[in-house]
Amino acid sequence: MRTYLFMLLLCSSMVAQNETCNYALSGKIIDLHDNSVLPGATLIIAGLEKATTSDFDGKYTFSNLCEGTYTIQISHPNCEVKAYKVKVSGNLERNFKLEHHLEELNAITLSAEVFGNKTKTIFEQKITEKQLDRFSNSSLGDILNTMSGVSSLNTGNAVVKPIINGVHSSRIVVMNNGVRMEDQEWGAEHAPSIDVNTIGNITVIKGAGALKYSGDAVGGVIVTEASKIPVKDTIYGKTHVTAATNGRGGNITSTLTKSYKNGWYGSLQGSMKRFGDYESPDYILSNTGVFERSISARIGVNRFDYGVEAYYSFFKNEIGILRASHIGGASDQVRAINSGIPLIINDFTYEIDAPKQDVTHHLFKIRAFKNIKNLGKLTLQYDFQQNERLEFDIRRGDDANKASLDLALNSQTIRLDLDTNNTDLFNLKTGVMAQYQKNVADPSTGVRRLIPDYKRFNFGIYGVADFSITDNFLVEVGGRFDYFNIDAQKFYKSSFWEERNYDELFPEIVVDVFGNQILTNPKLNYSNVSATIGTRYTINDDYTLFANYSLASRAPNPSELFSEGLHHSASRIELGDLRFDSENAHKMSITLQKKGSTFGFSVNPYINFINDFMIIEPTEIRQTIRGNFQVWEYRQTNARLLGLDIDASLTFTKNLSFFHQFSLVKGYDRTLDLPLIDMPPVNTTNGLVYKNEELKNLRIELQSEYTFRQNEFPDNNFEAFIPETNTLELVDVSTPPDAYHLLHLHTNADFNIGKKTMLNVGVSISNLFDTNYRNYLNRLRYYADDLGRNISINLKISY
């Protein structure tokens, strides 16, 4: 009897043990201060041989746990190691929060993943603070140009405007430290007013899926963020000094940050960049100097359940425009374009004369957040921007030093966002925003206003939700509505007014007539709907598949609507069209990503159908009292862009690796069945990288950049009458330059010069063999070659 009883108890014990050891512990690893997820955190159960790592979404899972109390140790880069006790009596979901610290002040290298992803179903490209260190004296466009699928529209070497998957200007949204930049971005030669030394991290989203930021990002969104500040009693900083041979100048920038354990912090940063005339391999590019300076400050408090931050930045940039691009009559125009060298080559100088730009940008932001239990994170933000743009043409007499274009743009925005992000299966982000904008064109320039006075009001509301169907399969959907109202005061020449048939289409907007000038008051309204739907499927630990469809709607910008005159720094006459409708883009993309310590890649094909695509093209040459200028005119058409971006990396040994980038985009005018103008040519970049952490963190990179000839382009050539010879001469503004191949070399190493001080020394050589070339996307390629060899030395002190 006792034997049977013993066997019964033993079986019951075994059954009980089996029943109570099937429990699972799961959840997320989250940043304590902003609730962003932390991928790559390591979790270890003390006393058991159980460990796991948080995934792409910060999620972790322990399975086959028995009932009991466990001690879990959690670690993550730049976080203090934390231990938590957890009582398991069934399947349990538990989120753990970590507090970020900079463990070594001499190595401020925050991982890009720390900043979290902006979307769930679009593959995002990131540039970390450590990568940014190499570009201290570069522009934002130069930095982004290192990514696949991202190129640039240049006006010489100093004005660099990013292009994403073939589109640029108002189709690219730039978010600077949480603020959408409003800096007259409509101009092809208007570079973003951002000092790259204020940036801690850059994320590029190739598509309109980031509806939180915008609904009109036909090409994509560029998000720049400041470095995170630790919650501890400390003071640290860094200073960059860069010197370069081409332009015979350099850059200096310094940042100092003070933080406290109670959450208070402050940071101050300043930069100055000065270069003289740049040089091609064979001659000086006269009047291409740059003088840039900026200062920024942050102050705030960051607590567990609330925080407040105030931010201010001042940015001023004076940029010379190649003197040879502004010429006189028709014969000079033809001669300049057909010549192999610039018609004007002067001695080197640091002086910046007309033609030039002088841009000043002020930005102020105050942001507050509150974590509300059972609701989520509520964020309120107000920002103010003032952008003052002066453009100087070559003028004589009393007006020689007077700006030909003087625009002042003031923008005020308020937004309220809610991020629920408190369940594993469903997350919702929603918000509203309102913006008021006023542009004033100074009439004292004595030149016809290219952009008129106007007021613009914008209201937007959005919602984005993601659903975890399974542990491996996620769906994201979102929608956004934007309303725009533009109230402008615009003078038209009566000849232009009648030529466009405006007198019959818009008679109600005429205010008064002054001789051959018609004063009008256009009041335009646009209601735009944007949307996104996408999926992300995690095939296994190595492979992830992204698929996304996005609808972007973009209202015409003031330049596309109202331009009617000489755009001085662009050296061309531009003509807009009051009849334009909103542009609608339907983009579909798929990305296959493979992660791996030895071999990794991402392949991203896409297609973008854009209805009512607004394009500007050259149409003729027109003689004015200030010289001979090309006429560029806006029109609407239906366009199709399709392309492919590839990134790959291969690790040969512990110290030696290889990377590859390839980008292809084809743009077509579906209405005229012609190629689109200014499409990036096919390009590929390959590089060998040698790293040795044991040898002063030595890094040597040899990079090969090959740009193919653009073989698909519209024929916009035209003939100009030459009075001197009484003949017509062909003006070739269409034929692209030849393909070219450039080599670049980058090296850097770290040297400890104190207990908490490190010196990083870098040497870079661009265009190693001093190759002559002309970039199809450089608007000044008609007049001069691009930059020759440039040797730069970069010194960074972290303390």
Side-chain angles (χ1 to χ4, degrees):
M1 183 66 179
R2 291 180 178 178
T3 303
Y4 290 120
L5 182 58
F6 174 76
M7 293 180 64
L8 180 61
L9 292 172
L10 180 61
C11 290
S12 299
S13 174
M14 293 176 63
V15 171
Q17 185 176 7
N18 288 335
E19 289 178 351
T20 58
C21 287
N22 292 327
Y23 299 142
L25 172 63
S26 61
K28 291 182 179 180
I29 310 301
I30 298 172
D31 187 304
L32 183 150
H33 297 285
D34 62 10
N35 282 339
S36 61
V37 297
L38 299 179
T42 301
L43 298 86
I44 301 173
I45 298 181
L48 297 178
E49 293 184 1
K50 281 184 176 291
T52 189
T53 302
S54 59
D55 65 10
F56 183 83
D57 295 317
K59 295 180 180 179
Y60 75 92
T61 301
F62 286 109
S63 56
N64 299 324
L65 295 181
C66 301
E67 184 175 350
T69 300
Y70 298 92
T71 300
I72 300 179
Q73 178 179 289
I74 308 175
S75 61
H76 187 274
N78 303 308
C79 296
E80 288 185 344
V81 178
K82 299 287 289 185
Y84 296 89
K85 285 192 175 183
V86 179
K87 185 177 181 180
V88 175
S89 57
N91 290 332
L92 177 65
E93 289 190 8
R94 174 78 181 274
N95 295 338
F96 297 105
K97 296 190 175 184
L98 298 183
E99 185 174 61
H100 278 270
H101 288 271
L102 299 180
E103 296 179 352
E104 296 182 21
L105 300 181
N106 60 356
I108 307 173
T109 55
L110 291 175
S111 168
E113 292 180 333
V114 170
F115 292 84
N117 279 62
K118 317 305 174 189
T119 65
K120 297 290 183 68
T121 60
I122 298 179
F123 179 68
E124 300 177 2
Q125 292 177 287
K126 298 179 182 291
I127 298 178
T128 66
E129 186 170 11
K130 191 171 185 178
Q131 294 170 308
L132 286 169
D133 285 344
R134 299 206 327 253
F135 298 96
S136 178
N137 67 336
S138 302
S139 69
L140 179 64
D142 289 325
I143 297 172
L144 297 171
N145 209 7
T146 63
M147 292 180 164
S148 63
V150 183
S151 48
S152 60
L153 186 67
N154 291 31
T155 301
N157 53 280
V159 181
V160 185
K161 199 172 188 70
I163 301 176
I164 299 179
N165 290 162
V167 299
H168 56 83
S169 300
S170 295
R171 300 180 182 92
I172 305 295
V173 172
V174 179
M175 299 296 300
N176 179 17
N177 198 15
V179 178
R180 174 170 175 160
M181 293 297 293
E182 300 287 353
D183 51 358
Q184 307 279 7
E185 70 278 357
W186 46 265
E189 80 306 335
H190 298 181
S193 302
I194 297 177
D195 177 9
V196 298
N197 296 289
T198 65
I199 302 173
N201 167 271
I202 300 177
T203 303
V204 174
I205 306 165
K206 299 175 186 174
L211 296 179
K212 172 182 177 180
Y213 304 113
S214 162
D216 58 355
V218 174
V221 182
I222 299 166
V223 183
T224 71
E225 298 169 294
S227 300
K228 287 196 172 184
I229 296 177
V231 182
K232 63 186 294 187
D233 291 325
T234 184
I235 183 170
Y236 60 93
K238 63 179 179 180
T239 298
H240 276 202
V241 179
T242 303
T245 57
N246 202 330
R248 308 180 198 180
N251 174 80
I252 181 169
T253 179
S254 191
T255 305
L256 185 65
T257 302
K258 172 63 179 172
S259 63
Y260 299 89
K261 193 174 182 179
N262 62 9
W264 282 95
Y265 62 87
S267 183
L268 184 65
Q269 180 270 342
S271 299
M272 186 173 71
K273 178 166 69 175
R274 188 76 166 100
F275 282 89
D277 291 335
Y278 290 90
E279 299 178 45
S280 75
D282 298 324
Y283 44 78
I284 291 173
L285 302 170
S286 296
N287 198 53
T288 56
V290 176
F291 187 21
E292 177 185 306
R293 47 272 200 211
S294 73
I295 188 169
S296 64
R298 299 164 64 190
I299 186 170
V301 59
N302 193 2
R303 299 279 173 81
F304 171 73
D305 58 346
Y306 71 91
V308 180
E309 179 182 85
Y311 174 80
Y312 169 78
S313 71
F314 166 83
F315 178 89
K316 186 173 179 62
N317 199 8
E318 190 176 359
I319 304 170
I321 306 297
L322 181 71
R323 179 62 183 85
S325 66
H326 284 236
I327 35 77
S331 58
D332 288 340
Q333 182 86 39
V334 173
R335 197 158 57 93
I337 292 177
N338 293 336
S339 174
I341 63 172
L343 298 185
I344 299 175
I345 302 176
N346 298 320
D347 293 336
F348 174 88
T349 179
Y350 289 98
E351 294 296 322
I352 301 175
D353 296 320
K356 67 178 181 179
Q357 300 179 12
D358 191 341
V359 179
T360 303
H361 192 87
H362 299 266
L363 185 154
F364 171 76
K365 177 194 79 169
I366 185 164
R367 172 182 174 271
F369 75 87
K370 173 69 176 177
N371 285 315
I372 302 174
K373 190 175 182 180
N374 299 325
L375 179 63
K377 181 181 179 182
L378 193 65
T379 304
L380 179 64
Q381 178 176 300
Y382 166 81
D383 61 74
F384 170 81
Q385 297 178 73
Q386 183 183 71
N387 186 269
E388 299 175 358
R389 166 169 285 272
L390 302 175
E391 297 185 1
F392 294 84
D393 194 11
I394 299 170
R395 307 173 76 174
R396 293 171 175 81
D398 295 337
D399 292 336
N401 296 319
K402 182 182 293 186
S404 297
L405 184 145
D406 186 341
L407 298 177
L409 179 68
N410 292 334
S411 305
Q412 299 184 71
T413 307
I414 186 167
R415 59 184 304 147
L416 181 67
D417 299 287
L418 174 64
D419 184 356
T420 63
N421 198 25
N422 54 10
T423 69
D424 288 332
L425 299 179
F426 172 77
N427 294 311
L428 173 67
K429 295 180 180 180
T430 185
V432 296
M433 63 79 67
Q435 182 186 75
Y436 174 75
Q437 196 171 81
K438 182 178 181 180
N439 182 75
V440 177
D442 190 344
S444 66
T445 60
V447 177
R448 184 175 187 80
R449 304 182 198 182
L450 178 68
I451 302 296
D453 294 349
Y454 69 85
K455 299 175 183 177
R456 192 185 79 165
F457 173 74
N458 176 23
F459 172 80
I461 182 170
Y462 76 92
V464 180
D466 61 81
F467 308 84
S468 295
I469 307 301
T470 68
D471 289 342
N472 297 334
F473 186 56
L474 180 140
V475 176
E476 183 179 44
V477 296
R480 182 180 176 112
F481 172 78
D482 285 284
Y483 169 77
F484 296 88
N485 171 267
I486 299 178
D487 186 345
Q489 297 286 329
K490 166 68 177 173
F491 278 96
Y492 282 97
K493 290 182 180 178
S494 57
S495 57
F496 183 81
W497 180 260
E498 294 170 359
E499 176 187 315
R500 290 295 175 96
N501 205 29
Y502 288 169
D503 53 338
E504 296 185 12
L505 294 173
F506 307 108
E508 72 281 358
I509 69 173
V510 175
V511 176
D512 207 343
V513 178
F514 302 90
N516 67 343
Q517 300 290 323
I518 300 174
L519 175 62
T520 65
N521 180 208
K523 295 182 179 180
L524 307 173
N525 299 293
Y526 301 92
S527 296
N528 293 341
V529 175
S530 307
T532 184
I533 181 170
T535 63
R536 188 187 75 228
Y537 180 68
T538 304
I539 302 172
N540 53 39
D541 291 341
D542 292 333
Y543 289 91
T544 304
L545 183 66
F546 301 82
N548 182 271
Y549 160 79
S550 60
L551 164 65
S553 299
R554 185 180 73 88
N557 65 42
S559 176
E560 293 160 338
L561 289 169
F562 305 122
S563 289
E564 187 212 355
L566 182 60
H567 193 175
H568 296 272
S569 67
S571 186
R572 67 190 189 190
I573 295 169
E574 296 180 359
L575 302 177
D577 199 317
L578 200 56
R579 299 166 292 188
F580 282 168
D581 296 319
S582 288
E583 186 177 273
N584 294 287
H586 303 264
K587 184 174 183 178
M588 290 153 280
S589 65
I590 297 175
T591 303
L592 177 63
Q593 179 191 25
K594 181 190 183 302
K595 295 181 179 179
S597 57
T598 302
F599 177 61
F601 67 82
S602 68
V603 179
N604 171 219
Y606 61 88
I607 187 167
N608 197 355
F609 294 96
I610 309 178
N611 298 326
D612 293 320
F613 182 71
M614 286 167 269
I615 186 173
I616 185 169
E617 300 169 319
T619 57
E620 61 175 320
I621 282 183
R622 183 176 299 177
Q623 182 73 34
T624 74
I625 60 173
R626 287 183 171 82
N628 211 48
F629 296 95
Q630 295 180 28
V631 177
W632 287 62
E633 189 169 348
Y634 287 100
R635 66 179 176 90
Q636 279 195 303
T637 187
N638 293 328
R640 180 183 73 243
L641 287 83
L642 54 89
L644 174 68
D645 297 332
I646 298 175
D647 288 88
S649 62
L650 177 63
T651 301
F652 298 116
T653 67
K654 176 184 176 182
N655 302 118
L656 187 63
S657 61
F658 168 83
F659 70 87
H660 168 79
Q661 294 177 342
F662 173 85
S663 296
L664 175 150
V665 59
K666 297 293 183 181
Y668 299 98
D669 183 331
R670 292 189 293 148
T671 303
L672 300 180
D673 194 25
L674 292 172
L676 291 175
I677 194 173
D678 288 340
M679 286 293 106
V682 178
N683 63 87
T684 182
T685 300
N686 297 278
L688 280 174
V689 180
Y690 174 81
K691 293 181 181 178
N692 193 330
E693 295 181 359
E694 298 176 356
L695 189 61
K696 305 294 185 183
N697 279 329
L698 177 65
R699 184 182 187 277
I700 303 174
E701 176 185 322
L702 180 63
Q703 185 182 111
S704 166
E705 173 190 346
Y706 188 86
T707 300
F708 293 78
R709 184 181 185 272
Q710 176 58 275
N711 292 322
E712 296 185 335
F713 55 93
D715 184 359
N716 296 120
N717 296 336
F718 45 83
E719 292 183 326
F721 177 71
I722 310 300
E724 293 85 351
T725 60
N726 198 32
T727 59
L728 291 174
E729 295 285 343
L730 179 69
V731 182
D732 187 352
V733 295
S734 300
T735 305
D738 294 333
Y740 59 87
H741 179 223
L742 305 177
L743 284 178
H744 314 293
L745 180 66
H746 309 286
T747 67
N748 62 272
D750 295 330
F751 301 90
N752 288 313
I753 58 177
K755 185 178 180 180
K756 292 185 177 181
T757 304
M758 177 174 287
L759 172 65
N760 178 277
V761 179
V763 177
S764 297
I765 307 176
S766 300
N767 194 357
L768 188 63
F769 293 125
D770 209 21
T771 302
N772 293 88
Y773 72 99
R774 298 197 181 195
N775 184 348
Y776 175 63
L777 294 177
N778 190 333
R779 293 181 51 258
L780 301 186
R781 66 179 172 85
Y782 306 115
Y783 312 105
D785 289 341
D786 270 273
L787 294 185
R789 183 189 297 114
N790 182 36
I791 303 173
S792 62
I793 299 176
N794 185 4
L795 304 177
K796 174 191 171 184
I797 303 175
S798 301
Y799 41 87

